[in-house]
Amino acid sequence: MPFSLKISSRVWPALLVAGVIATPAAALAQAAGKPVPKLALNVETELTGLDHPWSLAFLPDNQGALITERSGTLRLWQPGKPLSEPLTGVPAVWVEAQAGLWDVRLAPDFATSRRVYLSYAAKDDKGEPHAELGYGTLSQDGLHLENFKTIFVETPALESGINLGGRLVFDAKGNILMSLGDNNQRSQAQDLNSLRGKIIRLTPEGGIPADNPFVKNASARHEIWTYGNRNTQALAFNPQSGELWETEHGPRGGDEVNILKAGSNYGWPFATFGINYSGVPIPEAKGSHIDGMEDPIYYWRVSPAVSGMAFYNSDKFPQWKDMLFVGALKETTLIQLRVNDKRVLNEKRGLTDLGQRIREVQVGADGYVYVLTDESKGKLLKISPK
C-alpha cells in the first residue's frame, strides 16, 4: 500500500506544469483542491477485536459470513452469536508486512459444493515465500475447512512482503481471477513472461482457460488476463454492464479505478499519475497517458490508499442504487462514487471521523453495506444512509 506521505501544495503545481502529473477531467475537482462532500451514515458495530481482518464472504440463507484475518485465521460470524474459534484446515501462511491470509470467496456452486477459495502468502519447502490460491470444503457446521488443495503458486518466489495484490473474483463462466502485485519489481509489470503486476485467470481447478488472451503466445505466461497493474486492491463486476472493475494502488499519488479488458495493458510503470515516495518521478514513467495503454476512468491526485470495493445493487436503499463504495486505508474513509456507464460523476466520503483503515467492503443480502477495519482490534461495521 502507499506510504502515509502527502505531497505539499508547493510540489504539486510544479509537477503539473512539468508534465510529470496530468489532470484529466475526472479529477479536476481534486486538482483544484475543492473539498469532497461528506457522506452521512448510520454505523452499527457488529464485531470488535478482529486481528487485521482482510476479507468477508457472506454465506447463503442467512448463515453468516466467513472473515479472514491477515495473521492466518478464518472465522465464522453469525449475527447474535459469538465469533467462532479459528476454523481448522486453513493452510499455514507467511505473515510479513502485507503478506498473510488475504481474500475469501465462495465458489459459484457453493450451495452444492460448499467450496471456499482462499488467497494467501506461504513458504515452500525451501523456506521461500509465494502468493498462492487454493480451496477447501466448508463443513456443514461451518467450523472446518476440509481437504484443502493448493491450485496455484506464483513463481518465482516473492522478493518481499509488499505490493502483493491477492484479490479474487469469479467471472460469469465460473473461472477465477486473482490479482498479483508488482512486488516492487516495477519493470516486470510490463513483462509478459512474468506474473508480477498482473491479473491472472484460472479455471476452478487452477488450469488455463482456453480463451485467455495470451494462450497462443509462446513468450507469455498463459495465466495472464491483464498486465501493467501495480497493486490491485479490489475486483468487482459492475452488475449493470457486466464489466470487471478494479481499484489499484498508485505510488505516491495516482490511486486508480480501472475497467479491465482481457489482454489490455494498464500502463504501470510507464504511465502513472504518481511519483516516487522520495518525491522524484518514477524512473520508467513516460507520462500519464501512452497510446496503446488503458487510462484509468478515475484517479486520485493524493492517494487515499484504496482497498476493497462493492457496487450497490440492492433495493433496500434506493438512493444508493448503482453507487460504487470503495474503502481507503491511509485516509481512513469510505468513498462513495456515483457511476454512470464508464464515468465517475462525483465522490463523497464517510466514516473518516472513526480514524479506522477500511480494508473490505461488501453488500449483504439485507441491503446494508458492511466494512472491515484493518486494525489490531479491527471491526465489522454495518452501514446505512442517515
Side-chain angles (χ1 to χ4, degrees):
M1 57 164 282
F3 295 168
S4 297
L5 296 175
K6 292 191 176 182
I7 301 172
S8 74
S9 58
R10 289 181 294 177
V11 173
W12 270 104
L15 293 171
L16 288 167
V17 170
V20 175
I21 306 291
T23 307
L28 282 177
Q30 300 175 51
K34 294 182 179 179
V36 178
K38 185 175 181 179
L39 180 62
L41 300 170
N42 291 314
V43 182
E44 302 173 59
T45 301
E46 298 290 322
L47 277 177
T48 60
L50 296 166
D51 182 15
H52 293 282
W54 212 92
S55 182
L56 173 74
F58 284 101
L59 299 172
D61 303 322
N62 298 314
Q63 298 176 55
L66 296 174
I67 298 174
T68 61
E69 294 174 303
R70 189 170 54 82
S71 54
T73 54
L74 177 66
R75 297 180 184 268
L76 173 65
W77 166 70
Q78 294 176 304
K81 297 182 180 181
L83 183 67
S84 79
E85 292 297 314
L87 273 65
T88 62
V90 175
V93 304
W94 174 57
V95 182
E96 177 72 28
Q98 298 161 18
L101 180 57
W102 300 318
D103 225 349
V104 53
R105 291 292 174 257
L106 306 184
D109 64 350
F110 176 83
T112 55
S113 71
R114 297 192 64 81
R115 186 178 286 187
V116 174
Y117 285 77
L118 299 175
S119 61
Y120 53 95
K123 286 190 173 182
D124 60 20
D125 294 340
K126 298 179 181 179
E128 295 183 327
H130 303 262
E132 299 189 5
L133 170 65
Y135 68 81
T137 302
L138 186 66
S139 62
Q140 289 298 322
D141 62 8
L143 300 179
H144 311 280
L145 202 57
E146 301 170 342
N147 303 314
F148 192 86
K149 178 183 179 183
T150 300
I151 63 170
F152 168 78
V153 177
E154 182 186 8
T155 55
L158 296 170
E159 301 283 344
S160 67
I162 62 172
N163 289 10
L164 302 177
R167 283 297 183 184
L168 303 174
V169 71
F170 283 93
D171 66 16
K173 295 182 178 181
N175 296 306
I176 189 167
L177 295 105
M178 179 178 178
S179 68
L180 299 172
D182 73 353
N183 200 211
N184 208 29
Q185 308 298 307
R186 293 188 299 260
S187 63
Q188 291 190 31
Q190 291 293 321
D191 182 357
L192 290 178
N193 197 36
S194 168
L195 294 182
R196 303 283 195 257
K198 310 297 193 298
I199 308 296
I200 64 169
R201 181 173 179 254
L202 305 170
T203 68
E205 294 294 337
I208 308 296
D211 59 346
N212 269 11
F214 297 105
V215 292
K216 296 181 180 180
N217 185 336
S219 61
R221 292 291 296 264
H222 295 170
E223 302 97 326
I224 295 172
W225 185 250
T226 65
Y227 64 110
N229 303 104
R230 181 178 182 267
N231 189 13
T232 296
Q233 294 295 299
L235 296 168
F237 281 95
N238 184 327
Q240 300 301 315
S241 67
E243 294 172 312
L244 180 58
W245 288 45
E246 174 236 31
T247 61
E248 183 173 323
H249 280 174
R252 184 174 174 180
D255 284 8
E256 299 177 357
V257 178
N258 290 293
I259 297 178
L260 301 184
K261 298 179 290 185
S264 294
N265 182 352
Y266 288 82
W268 178 255
F270 298 148
T272 180
F273 291 100
I275 58 175
N276 250 321
Y277 296 116
S278 62
V280 301
I282 301 295
E284 301 90 345
K286 300 177 182 178
S288 58
H289 168 80
I290 299 176
D291 289 345
M293 299 183 184
E294 300 293 326
D295 293 332
I297 66 163
Y298 195 72
Y299 82 95
W300 286 268
R301 178 173 63 87
V302 176
S303 295
V306 292
S307 55
M309 71 171 173
F311 286 92
Y312 193 85
N313 195 37
S314 172
D315 295 324
K316 176 72 174 181
F317 304 116
Q319 64 269 47
W320 280 0
K321 196 76 170 180
D322 301 330
M323 296 287 190
L324 178 62
F325 287 89
V326 180
L329 300 166
K330 179 170 67 71
E331 295 195 356
T332 63
T333 189
L334 179 65
I335 300 170
Q336 183 195 71
L337 301 177
R338 180 177 293 278
V339 174
N340 180 10
D341 191 27
K342 294 178 175 62
R343 296 183 300 154
V344 173
L345 301 182
N346 59 49
E347 173 182 343
K348 294 183 179 180
R349 297 191 180 191
L351 304 185
T352 307
D353 295 343
L354 295 179
Q356 300 276 299
R357 291 158 48 89
I358 306 301
R359 170 64 70 180
E360 172 73 308
V361 184
Q362 293 290 333
V363 179
D366 58 5
Y368 287 83
V369 172
Y370 289 81
V371 304
L372 289 171
T373 66
D374 184 4
E375 306 285 345
S376 59
K377 296 182 179 179
K379 299 178 180 180
L380 173 63
L381 304 176
K382 180 179 176 181
I383 311 297
S384 58
K386 182 174 288 187

CSV table of all heavy atoms in Angstrom, one decimal, residues 225-265:
chain,number,residue,atom,x,y,z
A,225,TRP,N,-4.4,-12.3,-17.6
A,225,TRP,CA,-5.6,-11.7,-18.2
A,225,TRP,C,-5.4,-10.2,-18.5
A,225,TRP,O,-5.7,-9.8,-19.6
A,225,TRP,CB,-6.7,-11.8,-17.1
A,225,TRP,CG,-8.1,-11.3,-17.6
A,225,TRP,CD1,-8.7,-10.2,-17.2
A,225,TRP,CD2,-8.9,-12.0,-18.5
A,225,TRP,NE1,-10.0,-10.1,-17.8
A,225,TRP,CE2,-10.1,-11.2,-18.6
A,225,TRP,CE3,-8.8,-13.2,-19.3
A,225,TRP,CZ2,-11.2,-11.6,-19.4
A,225,TRP,CZ3,-9.9,-13.5,-20.1
A,225,TRP,CH2,-11.0,-12.7,-20.2
A,226,THR,N,-4.7,-9.4,-17.6
A,226,THR,CA,-4.3,-8.1,-17.9
A,226,THR,C,-2.9,-7.9,-17.3
A,226,THR,O,-2.5,-8.6,-16.5
A,226,THR,CB,-5.3,-7.0,-17.3
A,226,THR,OG1,-5.2,-7.1,-15.9
A,226,THR,CG2,-6.7,-7.2,-17.8
A,227,TYR,N,-2.2,-6.8,-17.8
A,227,TYR,CA,-0.9,-6.5,-17.3
A,227,TYR,C,-0.7,-5.0,-17.1
A,227,TYR,O,-1.6,-4.2,-17.4
A,227,TYR,CB,0.2,-7.1,-18.1
A,227,TYR,CG,0.3,-6.7,-19.6
A,227,TYR,CD1,1.4,-5.9,-20.0
A,227,TYR,CD2,-0.7,-7.0,-20.5
A,227,TYR,CE1,1.5,-5.5,-21.3
A,227,TYR,CE2,-0.5,-6.6,-21.8
A,227,TYR,CZ,0.6,-5.8,-22.2
A,227,TYR,OH,0.7,-5.4,-23.5
A,228,GLY,N,0.4,-4.6,-16.5
A,228,GLY,CA,0.7,-3.2,-16.2
A,228,GLY,C,-0.2,-2.7,-15.0
A,228,GLY,O,-0.5,-1.6,-14.9
A,229,ASN,N,-0.5,-3.7,-14.1
A,229,ASN,CA,-1.3,-3.3,-12.9
A,229,ASN,C,-0.3,-3.3,-11.7
A,229,ASN,O,0.2,-4.4,-11.4
A,229,ASN,CB,-2.4,-4.3,-12.7
A,229,ASN,CG,-3.3,-4.5,-13.8
A,229,ASN,OD1,-3.2,-5.4,-14.6
A,229,ASN,ND2,-4.2,-3.5,-14.0
A,230,ARG,N,-0.2,-2.2,-11.1
A,230,ARG,CA,0.9,-2.1,-10.0
A,230,ARG,C,0.5,-2.9,-8.8
A,230,ARG,O,1.3,-3.7,-8.3
A,230,ARG,CB,1.0,-0.6,-9.6
A,230,ARG,CG,2.1,-0.4,-8.5
A,230,ARG,CD,2.2,1.1,-8.1
A,230,ARG,NE,3.3,1.3,-7.1
A,230,ARG,CZ,3.0,1.3,-5.8
A,230,ARG,NH1,1.8,1.2,-5.3
A,230,ARG,NH2,4.0,1.5,-5.0
A,231,ASN,N,-0.7,-2.7,-8.2
A,231,ASN,CA,-1.0,-3.4,-7.0
A,231,ASN,C,-2.5,-3.4,-6.8
A,231,ASN,O,-3.0,-2.5,-6.1
A,231,ASN,CB,-0.3,-2.8,-5.7
A,231,ASN,CG,-0.4,-3.6,-4.5
A,231,ASN,OD1,-0.9,-4.8,-4.5
A,231,ASN,ND2,-0.1,-3.0,-3.4
A,232,THR,N,-3.2,-4.3,-7.4
A,232,THR,CA,-4.7,-4.3,-7.4
A,232,THR,C,-5.2,-4.6,-6.0
A,232,THR,O,-4.8,-5.6,-5.4
A,232,THR,CB,-5.2,-5.3,-8.4
A,232,THR,OG1,-4.8,-4.9,-9.7
A,232,THR,CG2,-6.7,-5.4,-8.4
A,233,GLN,N,-6.2,-3.8,-5.6
A,233,GLN,CA,-6.7,-4.0,-4.2
A,233,GLN,C,-8.2,-4.4,-4.2
A,233,GLN,O,-8.7,-4.8,-3.1
A,233,GLN,CB,-6.6,-2.7,-3.4
A,233,GLN,CG,-5.2,-2.3,-3.2
A,233,GLN,CD,-4.5,-3.3,-2.3
A,233,GLN,OE1,-4.9,-3.5,-1.1
A,233,GLN,NE2,-3.4,-3.9,-2.8
A,234,ALA,N,-8.9,-4.4,-5.3
A,234,ALA,CA,-10.2,-4.9,-5.4
A,234,ALA,C,-10.6,-5.2,-6.8
A,234,ALA,O,-10.1,-4.6,-7.8
A,234,ALA,CB,-11.2,-3.8,-4.9
A,235,LEU,N,-11.4,-6.3,-6.9
A,235,LEU,CA,-12.0,-6.7,-8.2
A,235,LEU,C,-13.5,-6.9,-8.0
A,235,LEU,O,-13.9,-7.6,-7.1
A,235,LEU,CB,-11.4,-8.0,-8.7
A,235,LEU,CG,-9.9,-8.0,-9.0
A,235,LEU,CD1,-9.3,-9.4,-9.2
A,235,LEU,CD2,-9.6,-7.2,-10.3
A,236,ALA,N,-14.3,-6.3,-8.9
A,236,ALA,CA,-15.8,-6.4,-8.8
A,236,ALA,C,-16.4,-6.2,-10.1
A,236,ALA,O,-16.0,-5.3,-10.9
A,236,ALA,CB,-16.3,-5.4,-7.8
A,237,PHE,N,-17.4,-7.1,-10.4
A,237,PHE,CA,-18.1,-6.9,-11.7
A,237,PHE,C,-19.2,-5.9,-11.5
A,237,PHE,O,-20.0,-6.0,-10.5
A,237,PHE,CB,-18.7,-8.2,-12.2
A,237,PHE,CG,-17.6,-9.1,-12.8
A,237,PHE,CD1,-17.0,-10.1,-12.1
A,237,PHE,CD2,-17.4,-9.0,-14.2
A,237,PHE,CE1,-16.0,-10.9,-12.7
A,237,PHE,CE2,-16.4,-9.7,-14.8
A,237,PHE,CZ,-15.7,-10.7,-14.1
A,238,ASN,N,-19.3,-5.0,-12.5
A,238,ASN,CA,-20.4,-4.0,-12.5
A,238,ASN,C,-21.7,-4.7,-12.8
A,238,ASN,O,-21.8,-5.3,-13.9
A,238,ASN,CB,-20.1,-2.9,-13.5
A,238,ASN,CG,-21.2,-1.8,-13.5
A,238,ASN,OD1,-22.3,-2.0,-13.2
A,238,ASN,ND2,-20.7,-0.6,-13.8
A,239,PRO,N,-22.7,-4.8,-12.0
A,239,PRO,CA,-23.9,-5.5,-12.3
A,239,PRO,C,-24.7,-5.0,-13.4
A,239,PRO,O,-25.5,-5.7,-14.0
A,239,PRO,CB,-24.7,-5.5,-11.0
A,239,PRO,CG,-24.2,-4.3,-10.3
A,239,PRO,CD,-22.8,-4.1,-10.6
A,240,GLN,N,-24.5,-3.7,-13.8
A,240,GLN,CA,-25.3,-3.1,-14.9
A,240,GLN,C,-24.6,-3.5,-16.2
A,240,GLN,O,-25.3,-3.8,-17.2
A,240,GLN,CB,-25.3,-1.6,-14.7
A,240,GLN,CG,-26.0,-1.2,-13.4
A,240,GLN,CD,-27.5,-1.7,-13.3
A,240,GLN,OE1,-28.2,-1.6,-14.3
A,240,GLN,NE2,-27.8,-2.2,-12.2
A,241,SER,N,-23.3,-3.4,-16.3
A,241,SER,CA,-22.6,-3.6,-17.6
A,241,SER,C,-22.0,-4.9,-17.7
A,241,SER,O,-21.7,-5.3,-18.8
A,241,SER,CB,-21.6,-2.5,-17.8
A,241,SER,OG,-20.5,-2.7,-16.8
A,242,GLY,N,-21.8,-5.6,-16.6
A,242,GLY,CA,-21.0,-6.9,-16.6
A,242,GLY,C,-19.5,-6.7,-16.8
A,242,GLY,O,-18.8,-7.7,-16.9
A,243,GLU,N,-19.0,-5.5,-16.8
A,243,GLU,CA,-17.6,-5.2,-16.9
A,243,GLU,C,-16.9,-5.4,-15.6
A,243,GLU,O,-17.4,-5.2,-14.5
A,243,GLU,CB,-17.3,-3.8,-17.4
A,243,GLU,CG,-17.9,-3.6,-18.9
A,243,GLU,CD,-17.8,-2.2,-19.3
A,243,GLU,OE1,-18.2,-1.3,-18.5
A,243,GLU,OE2,-17.3,-1.9,-20.4
A,244,LEU,N,-15.6,-5.8,-15.6
A,244,LEU,CA,-14.8,-6.0,-14.5
A,244,LEU,C,-14.1,-4.7,-14.1
A,244,LEU,O,-13.3,-4.2,-14.9
A,244,LEU,CB,-13.8,-7.1,-14.7
A,244,LEU,CG,-12.8,-7.4,-13.5
A,244,LEU,CD1,-13.6,-7.9,-12.3
A,244,LEU,CD2,-11.8,-8.5,-14.0
A,245,TRP,N,-14.4,-4.2,-12.9
A,245,TRP,CA,-13.7,-3.0,-12.4
A,245,TRP,C,-12.7,-3.4,-11.3
A,245,TRP,O,-12.7,-4.4,-10.7
A,245,TRP,CB,-14.8,-2.1,-11.7
A,245,TRP,CG,-15.7,-1.4,-12.7
A,245,TRP,CD1,-16.3,-2.0,-13.8
A,245,TRP,CD2,-16.1,-0.1,-12.7
A,245,TRP,NE1,-17.1,-1.1,-14.5
A,245,TRP,CE2,-17.0,0.1,-13.8
A,245,TRP,CE3,-15.9,1.0,-11.9
A,245,TRP,CZ2,-17.6,1.3,-14.1
A,245,TRP,CZ3,-16.5,2.3,-12.2
A,245,TRP,CH2,-17.3,2.4,-13.3
A,246,GLU,N,-11.7,-2.4,-11.2
A,246,GLU,CA,-10.6,-2.7,-10.3
A,246,GLU,C,-10.2,-1.4,-9.6
A,246,GLU,O,-10.2,-0.3,-10.2
A,246,GLU,CB,-9.4,-3.2,-11.2
A,246,GLU,CG,-8.1,-3.4,-10.5
A,246,GLU,CD,-7.0,-2.6,-11.1
A,246,GLU,OE1,-7.2,-1.5,-11.7
A,246,GLU,OE2,-5.8,-3.1,-11.0
A,247,THR,N,-9.8,-1.5,-8.3
A,247,THR,CA,-9.0,-0.4,-7.7
A,247,THR,C,-7.6,-0.8,-7.6
A,247,THR,O,-7.2,-2.0,-7.4
A,247,THR,CB,-9.6,-0.1,-6.3
A,247,THR,OG1,-9.5,-1.3,-5.4
A,247,THR,CG2,-11.1,0.3,-6.4
A,248,GLU,N,-6.7,0.2,-7.7
A,248,GLU,CA,-5.3,-0.1,-7.7
A,248,GLU,C,-4.5,1.0,-7.0
A,248,GLU,O,-4.7,2.2,-7.2
A,248,GLU,CB,-4.8,-0.1,-9.2
A,248,GLU,CG,-3.4,-0.5,-9.4
A,248,GLU,CD,-3.1,-0.7,-10.9
A,248,GLU,OE1,-4.0,-1.2,-11.6
A,248,GLU,OE2,-2.0,-0.3,-11.3
A,249,HIS,N,-3.5,0.6,-6.2
A,249,HIS,CA,-2.6,1.5,-5.5
A,249,HIS,C,-1.7,2.1,-6.5
A,249,HIS,O,-1.0,1.4,-7.2
A,249,HIS,CB,-1.8,0.8,-4.4
A,249,HIS,CG,-2.6,0.6,-3.2
A,249,HIS,ND1,-2.1,-0.2,-2.1
A,249,HIS,CD2,-3.8,1.0,-2.8
A,249,HIS,CE1,-3.0,-0.2,-1.1
A,249,HIS,NE2,-4.0,0.5,-1.5
A,250,GLY,N,-1.6,3.4,-6.5
A,250,GLY,CA,-0.5,4.1,-7.2
A,250,GLY,C,0.7,4.2,-6.3
A,250,GLY,O,0.6,3.6,-5.1
A,251,PRO,N,1.8,4.8,-6.7
A,251,PRO,CA,2.9,5.0,-5.8
A,251,PRO,C,2.6,6.2,-4.8
A,251,PRO,O,1.6,6.1,-4.0
A,251,PRO,CB,4.1,5.3,-6.7
A,251,PRO,CG,3.4,5.9,-7.9
A,251,PRO,CD,2.0,5.3,-8.0
A,252,ARG,N,3.3,7.3,-4.9
A,252,ARG,CA,2.9,8.5,-4.1
A,252,ARG,C,2.0,9.3,-5.0
A,252,ARG,O,2.5,10.1,-5.9
A,252,ARG,CB,4.2,9.2,-3.7
A,252,ARG,CG,4.0,10.4,-2.9
A,252,ARG,CD,5.3,11.0,-2.4
A,252,ARG,NE,5.2,12.2,-1.7
A,252,ARG,CZ,6.2,12.9,-1.2
A,252,ARG,NH1,7.4,12.5,-1.3
A,252,ARG,NH2,5.9,14.1,-0.5
A,253,GLY,N,0.7,9.2,-4.8
A,253,GLY,CA,-0.3,9.8,-5.7
A,253,GLY,C,-0.6,8.8,-6.8
A,253,GLY,O,0.1,7.9,-7.2
A,254,GLY,N,-1.9,9.0,-7.4
A,254,GLY,CA,-2.2,8.2,-8.5
A,254,GLY,C,-2.9,6.9,-8.3
A,254,GLY,O,-2.9,6.0,-9.1
A,255,ASP,N,-3.6,6.7,-7.1
A,255,ASP,CA,-4.5,5.6,-7.0
A,255,ASP,C,-5.6,5.6,-8.1
A,255,ASP,O,-6.0,6.7,-8.5
A,255,ASP,CB,-5.2,5.6,-5.6
A,255,ASP,CG,-4.3,5.2,-4.5
A,255,ASP,OD1,-3.1,5.0,-4.7
A,255,ASP,OD2,-4.9,5.0,-3.4
A,256,GLU,N,-6.0,4.4,-8.6
A,256,GLU,CA,-6.8,4.4,-9.8
A,256,GLU,C,-8.1,3.5,-9.6
A,256,GLU,O,-8.1,2.6,-8.8
A,256,GLU,CB,-6.0,3.8,-11.0
A,256,GLU,CG,-4.8,4.6,-11.4
A,256,GLU,CD,-4.0,3.9,-12.5
A,256,GLU,OE1,-4.3,2.8,-12.9
A,256,GLU,OE2,-3.0,4.5,-12.9
A,257,VAL,N,-9.1,3.8,-10.5
A,257,VAL,CA,-10.2,2.9,-10.8
A,257,VAL,C,-10.1,2.6,-12.2
A,257,VAL,O,-10.0,3.5,-13.1
A,257,VAL,CB,-11.5,3.5,-10.4
A,257,VAL,CG1,-12.7,2.6,-10.8
A,257,VAL,CG2,-11.6,3.9,-9.0
A,258,ASN,N,-10.0,1.3,-12.6
A,258,ASN,CA,-9.9,0.9,-14.0
A,258,ASN,C,-11.0,-0.1,-14.3
A,258,ASN,O,-11.6,-0.8,-13.5
A,258,ASN,CB,-8.6,0.1,-14.2
A,258,ASN,CG,-7.4,1.0,-14.1
A,258,ASN,OD1,-7.2,1.9,-15.0
A,258,ASN,ND2,-6.5,0.8,-13.1
A,259,ILE,N,-11.4,-0.1,-15.6
A,259,ILE,CA,-12.2,-1.2,-16.2
A,259,ILE,C,-11.3,-2.1,-16.9
A,259,ILE,O,-10.6,-1.7,-17.9
A,259,ILE,CB,-13.3,-0.6,-17.1
A,259,ILE,CG1,-14.2,0.4,-16.3
A,259,ILE,CG2,-14.1,-1.7,-17.7
A,259,ILE,CD1,-15.3,1.0,-17.1
A,260,LEU,N,-11.3,-3.4,-16.5
A,260,LEU,CA,-10.3,-4.3,-17.1
A,260,LEU,C,-10.9,-5.0,-18.3
A,260,LEU,O,-12.0,-5.6,-18.2
A,260,LEU,CB,-9.9,-5.3,-16.0
A,260,LEU,CG,-9.3,-4.8,-14.7
A,260,LEU,CD1,-8.9,-5.9,-13.8
A,260,LEU,CD2,-8.1,-3.8,-15.0
A,261,LYS,N,-10.1,-5.1,-19.3
A,261,LYS,CA,-10.4,-5.8,-20.6
A,261,LYS,C,-9.3,-6.8,-20.9
A,261,LYS,O,-8.1,-6.5,-20.7
A,261,LYS,CB,-10.5,-4.8,-21.7
A,261,LYS,CG,-11.7,-3.8,-21.5
A,261,LYS,CD,-11.8,-2.9,-22.7
A,261,LYS,CE,-10.6,-1.9,-22.7
A,261,LYS,NZ,-10.7,-0.9,-23.8
A,262,ALA,N,-9.7,-8.0,-21.3
A,262,ALA,CA,-8.8,-9.1,-21.5
A,262,ALA,C,-7.7,-8.7,-22.4
A,262,ALA,O,-7.9,-8.1,-23.5
A,262,ALA,CB,-9.5,-10.3,-22.1
A,263,GLY,N,-6.4,-9.0,-22.0
A,263,GLY,CA,-5.3,-8.7,-22.9
A,263,GLY,C,-4.8,-7.3,-22.9
A,263,GLY,O,-3.8,-7.0,-23.5
A,264,SER,N,-5.4,-6.4,-22.1
A,264,SER,CA,-5.0,-5.0,-22.1
A,264,SER,C,-3.9,-4.6,-21.2
A,264,SER,O,-3.7,-5.3,-20.2
A,264,SER,CB,-6.3,-4.1,-21.8
A,264,SER,OG,-7.2,-4.2,-22.8
A,265,ASN,N,-3.2,-3.5,-21.5
A,265,ASN,CA,-2.1,-3.0,-20.7
A,265,ASN,C,-2.5,-1.8,-20.0
A,265,ASN,O,-2.9,-0.8,-20.6
A,265,ASN,CB,-0.9,-2.7,-21.7
A,265,ASN,CG,0.3,-2.3,-21.0
A,265,ASN,OD1,0.4,-2.0,-19.8
A,265,ASN,ND2,1.4,-2.1,-21.8
